[in-house]
Amino acid sequence: MVRYDTSSHLSITHTENTPFLAQINRNVATPMQDLTKGNISKHIIAMAGPIAIGLFVQTLYFLVDLYFVGQLGGAAIAAVSSAGSVFFFVMALTQILNIGCATLVSHAVGRKDNQEANHVFNQGLRLGVWATFVFLVVGYAFGHIFFSFLAADLEMKELALDYFYWFLPSLLLQFVFTALSAALRGAGVVKPVMGISMLGVVLNIILSPVLISGWGTGYAMGVMGAALASSVSMLLSFVLLIRYFNTKESYLVADWFSLKLEKNMVRKILTIGLPSGGEFFLTFLYMSIIYWALSGFSANAQAGFGLGVRLMQSLFLPVMAIAFAAPAIAGQNFAAGKHERVIETYRKTAWLTCSMMGMLMIVCLWVPEMFVTGFTDNSEVILVAATFLSFIGLNFVPAGYVFAVSGMFQALGNTWPALLSTVCRLTLFAIPVIYMAGQDSFYIEQIWYCSVATVFIQAIISHILLKREFKKRLNTTKEREVSEQVA
């Protein structure tokens, strides 16, 4: 391992696990962004701003992609949306690395322990490589089984598989990319990843009409073109991020040539990351249950839901930028023992996310058709998507609060309460929906009623669990008084 002394030179101790690239003479590494000092609001804005810009460009990509896929018809929208739901499964896996690495790196940076930060980073990187190999085999071997279960008809199944097989390379690159970007975010650095992601998304926007509709080439690939555009742009982002670590990064040094895992550190990453990964996996199950329930109607019904979900995801992105920034800020302060700043981060994050969600809710309740009509002229798809947004808009404020609370659980290094609240929500949602889907009187709006009710319940459960966690972790008298004010 690399050991840093307090002088101006690097002291290196060679051990069996010493990363080769770390053994290079350089000045003493210092935290790239110390979030334990300064104004909390400024830190949130400084970190969320670049994330929001990147997510805004990504939102533009979603809309461009939706527009050109929408011209292919309802079956294409349904196929791409159902295949895209696999993204939530991959997100569940990458979230383990994302939260585990970012949290532990932020704690190490808060303690000013560069050696530990690098150890966490490289173990997360190796986990990402192993996960890539495993998912490569699983995706190509068993993907067809998943789509046989969800597809409303044979045409949709074939289109979904066409999209999925070309989209899979993009999913595979997510694991290592996530490990690299999570470590940077834990150290308080988001701009490089934002810039790299923006370049990838811009390329995706350019390639979508070319590959989907054949602009300039006369060769339209349809849904396969949409998937290929995603895979090519993700490859560009992946290469640029690796180049950044090799040429610009000094605090976190990657050992690219080792796959050896260290049991204790892997256990720490998984202990923190698994519950968050479980949250995304439950989201994947939530989406799958809805697609299954809608398969009894038509491909257009599934297409309307898929269109509504992708629009909802686009609307959520600015709020998620704040939620992504908060754990690094609160995590560094928690590790540094500055617990009042943790509470302050929570309050300001919750206020920002709920306020923004409230504004989005008003728009979705008022004119949901405004978001939908530009992407398809299929009246059934438009009706389902607009109805979905008008109902789900009621979810936005409690969902924003759940985002904020989940970030605090990540910062404290205990993400199990967030998983528990998500399990409660999925259970309360799945049981009635599965039951109602088997009844002759079943209609689509019943799904949205269940969704609205269960998100409010999840927000209440999350609040109760966070209050308990604050009392347990922030245990001085003054901090107890502060944590009481959370309620």
Side-chain angles (χ1 to χ4, degrees), residues 80 82-94 97 128 131-133 135-136 138-140 143 146-147 160 163-178 227 230-235 238 284:
V80 170
S82 63
S85 68
V86 180
F87 182 73
F88 282 98
F89 177 73
V90 174
M91 282 292 288
L93 299 177
T94 58
L97 295 174
T132 301
F133 292 144
F135 192 71
L136 172 67
V138 172
Y140 282 112
F146 174 74
F147 294 109
Y163 179 86
F164 174 71
Y165 289 137
W166 287 84
F167 186 57
L168 189 56
S170 175
L171 296 178
L172 294 173
L173 294 173
Q174 293 286 339
F175 294 102
V176 172
F177 189 91
T178 297
S230 296
S231 293
V232 171
S233 61
M234 184 63 205
L235 178 61
F238 181 79
F284 166 73

Side-chain angles (χ1 to χ4, degrees), residues 105 107 250 277 401 481:
V105 168
H107 288 181
S250 60
Y401 184 72
E481 292 173 355

